[in-house]
Amino acid sequence: MPENINVHALLEGMTAALRRRLQEDGIDDPLMIGIQTGGVWVAEALHDKLQLQQPLGKLNISFYRDDFTRIGMHPQVQPSSLPFDVNDRHIILVDDVLHTGRTIRAALNEIFDYGRPASVILAALVVRSGRELPICADIVGEELQLSDRQHVKLTGPDPLKLAIQESK
Amino acid sequence: MKQQDIQLDSQGRLRHFLTIEGLKRNILTDILDTAENFSTVGTRNVKKVPLLRGKTIANLFFEPSTRTRTTFELAAKRLSADVLNINISTSSTTKGESLLDMLRNLEAMHCDMFVVRHNASGAAHFFAKHVAPHISVINGGDGSHAHPTQAMLDMFTIRRHKQDFTKLTVAIVGDILHSRVARSQIHALTTLGVPEVRVIGPQTLIPKDAAGLGVHVYHDMKEGIRDADVVIMLRLQRERMQGALLPSANEYYRTYGLSPSKLRLAKPDAIVMHPGPINRGVEIASSVADGPQSVILEQVTNGIAIRMAVMSMVLGRGPEEEAEE
């Protein structure tokens, strides 16, 4: 298991993969949306490296979670802000860790309440084992096989660091 | 022995929302922050989030209301809850059914929340004391006691314009004595750290215990409004005027109505608020109510976000035993 993951190198790899993907699909002006909080940090870095024209969108998926009645509200998280019209646009959705897939399910539902995008591709810094829904990432920084007891956490925004923790 | 606040659950989270009195600053701040998150929902293509899907909320209005009832209803609908509006003056109380019987019937219909507006002080507390453990009660205004969601939407509006509560002078003008809005505002303002809260009105309309609430009392409006950052006008409840507490509407306007010239005594960037419905030319001049310093219609919009926040907080507390995150 890699103790120290080089986030910087992962971001470079993702940037190159995103460039290839956008070129293949003939997309020249995509919108990028990061999921609060870690996904926004990753999205800020990718947005910068890709030099995208449109401002970065930020999504707080709290109101779309399926475990709301179990974990309650987190008012500290910043509100959603999508400073553009998503209708008929190509969207790059960015998160820090893809685990169960439930966050992405919630994020897609929220995006569709803003409008009907032409397409959505998913970029994740870390894709770990433990999927509970039929969701996969198009652009992957690093793939990790982890047990249920292991957690991967991104801290940031400066510097961005990945750590794997073990719970009892 | 201090009894535990009926509004809080065993972990100190909001279970009912009945009054601001006794709540800690962090709970009020959580409500404001959560409302901030909800404030964008109304501007979207789909003005709805699925948070309270499958929940049933009954609006029990024993007293007429347009703004409060519709904004509670809109808030519940924007959270995807199902809403039942029960206008009780036309319902079974006229057939002699007791409050408690009505409550049991609504429980039997599997409601999850009651929003209660009643002309008797303490009505919402009565409901909260008697409901089944899984049901939450929100006070939509009880007698002259409390109107906590109105006070919180006012705090939200103030924070949006003035940011830091701890540097503000807030003047509340009018019938303080009969106003549940003023009472809740005073508790909210002092809890959030506002150093100078003033109440302005004729002696007959200021409660005797006003000083005990931590406010300064003024009978001269020109003096009281001076250098205020926020001026809150209250509705003159015309029905009280028959009780000889007041001379006439004209006379009232001259002494306590907010005219452009009186407003000039407040800070130049002062905001003017009013919980509605406004009596133009009685407590406020039309030109002030519609003027650039008025945030009266913003208050209405903000009422939806605040009510969404309170509803989602009480219904989304999670289990009583701490769950593992």
Side-chain angles (χ1 to χ4, degrees), chain A residues 151-165:
Chain A
H151 306 277
V152 52
K153 194 167 169 47
L154 180 70
T155 53
D158 194 29
L160 285 175
K161 270 189 176 162
L162 275 170
I164 296 167
Q165 291 153 351

Side-chain angles (χ1 to χ4, degrees), chain A residues 65-74 102 132, chain B residues 13 315-325:
Chain A
R65 295 182 69 120
D66 54 16
D67 53 0
F68 161 68
T69 51
R70 274 189 285 163
I71 67 167
M73 304 290 296
H74 293 277
R102 288 173 194 269
E132 292 167 2
Chain B
R13 298 173 301 193
L315 286 183
R317 279 173 297 131
E320 293 264 326
E321 304 304 322
E322 187 59 90
E324 43 178 7
E325 155 60 315

